[in-house]
Amino acid sequence: MVNFILADNQELTAFALKTLIREHESASLHYASDKEELLSQLQAETRSIVILDYTLFNIQDEDQLLIIIERFPKAQWIMVSDDLTVQVMRKLVYTARNVSIVFKDSPFKLFRHAIDYAIRGERYLCQRAAEVLICQQADDEQRPKVLTQTEIEILRGVAQGKTTKEIAYERFSSVHTVNTHKKNIFRKLHVNTAHEAVKYAFRAGLVDPSEFYI
């Protein structure tokens, strides 16, 4: 028995997805109309396949979504939406291996592919999502290394898990100075958190991932 949780409040899309799910004789279908119902369904069956448009749910942002995904690692997630930004897709793909992505304007067969992949426990990215991510990765690699040597050294400290106070102590600087450098790093790399900054730095070759951890 394969347990599906359909979490899409757009009626037309939900109807189409319901039709696809029912092609599988062993499918058990449940519905969730908000975050609370989704969590309740997942607690009841942690190995579910969740088909979700989180932009129509009371989920605050992609960070809260990732927390939910990490809380239920045995589930398979199929993200269906018209409003998935590059930033959201990157977070989902780089952080979670159990997330598939299909845009709502994709051909019907791609939704079927995503469901078949999820049943096998595999990730599926529609061609458009894959192309967007590949193009963004190429842009990242070509982007100039705009960080100063001081900023790179501070980023290395962050990658090593050091606190702002520890970095300041080692550099004979104030906490305020280190925080200012970190804000500049975020601004230059177009990220919002230290976790994103470190991952970006690894991908861009600013720091060696063999030396540090995230």
Side-chain angles (χ1 to χ4, degrees), residues 164-184:
T164 301
K165 186 176 181 179
E166 289 171 334
I167 295 172
Y169 177 80
E170 291 178 355
R171 297 188 57 80
F172 303 100
S173 300
S174 68
V175 170
H176 173 74
T177 298
V178 174
N179 277 330
T180 299
H181 282 304
K182 289 171 70 174
K183 288 178 182 178
N184 289 335

Side-chain angles (χ1 to χ4, degrees), residues 68-83:
I68 296 173
I69 291 173
E70 291 171 0
R71 182 178 170 186
F72 298 98
K74 295 180 181 179
Q76 288 291 323
W77 300 77
I78 303 175
M79 298 296 153
V80 293
S81 179
D82 292 323
D83 302 314

Side-chain angles (χ1 to χ4, degrees), residues 1-137:
M1 180 70 69
V2 182
N3 190 70
F4 286 86
I5 302 174
L6 183 52
D8 189 329
N9 289 326
Q10 194 172 67
E11 291 186 7
L12 185 60
T13 307
F15 178 80
L17 291 169
K18 180 172 63 176
T19 301
L20 285 176
I21 292 170
R22 287 180 172 169
E23 290 180 355
H24 299 272
E25 294 181 359
S26 62
S28 173
L29 179 57
H30 303 273
Y31 301 91
S33 60
D34 56 30
K35 181 180 67 177
E36 288 69 30
E37 287 186 1
L38 174 60
L39 293 175
S40 177
Q41 294 283 359
L42 281 167
Q43 288 168 352
E45 179 50 69
T46 59
R47 293 185 179 274
S48 297
I49 295 175
V50 182
I51 305 179
L52 169 67
D53 185 346
Y54 90 99
T55 63
L56 301 179
F57 264 45
N58 56 332
I59 297 175
Q60 293 178 2
D61 52 29
E62 64 269 20
D63 290 328
Q64 187 178 75
L65 173 62
L66 282 170
I67 290 172
I68 296 173
I69 291 173
E70 291 171 0
R71 182 178 170 186
F72 298 98
K74 295 180 181 179
Q76 288 291 323
W77 300 77
I78 303 175
M79 298 296 153
V80 293
S81 179
D82 292 323
D83 302 314
L84 290 176
T85 65
V86 175
Q87 178 183 353
V88 171
M89 287 193 292
R90 288 179 62 168
K91 279 189 176 183
L92 292 173
V93 170
Y94 293 143
T95 305
R97 296 181 178 273
N98 55 339
V99 174
S100 299
I101 298 176
V102 184
F103 291 100
K104 282 193 173 179
D105 60 356
S106 298
F108 203 57
K109 65 180 181 180
L110 299 190
F111 292 93
R112 183 178 285 112
H113 291 336
I115 290 173
D116 290 341
Y117 271 63
I119 290 174
R120 298 197 301 267
E122 300 175 4
R123 165 187 285 170
Y124 178 82
L125 299 179
C126 69
Q127 183 176 351
R128 180 174 149 203
E131 289 176 350
V132 168
L133 291 171
I134 290 171
C135 289
Q136 184 64 41
Q137 179 71 20

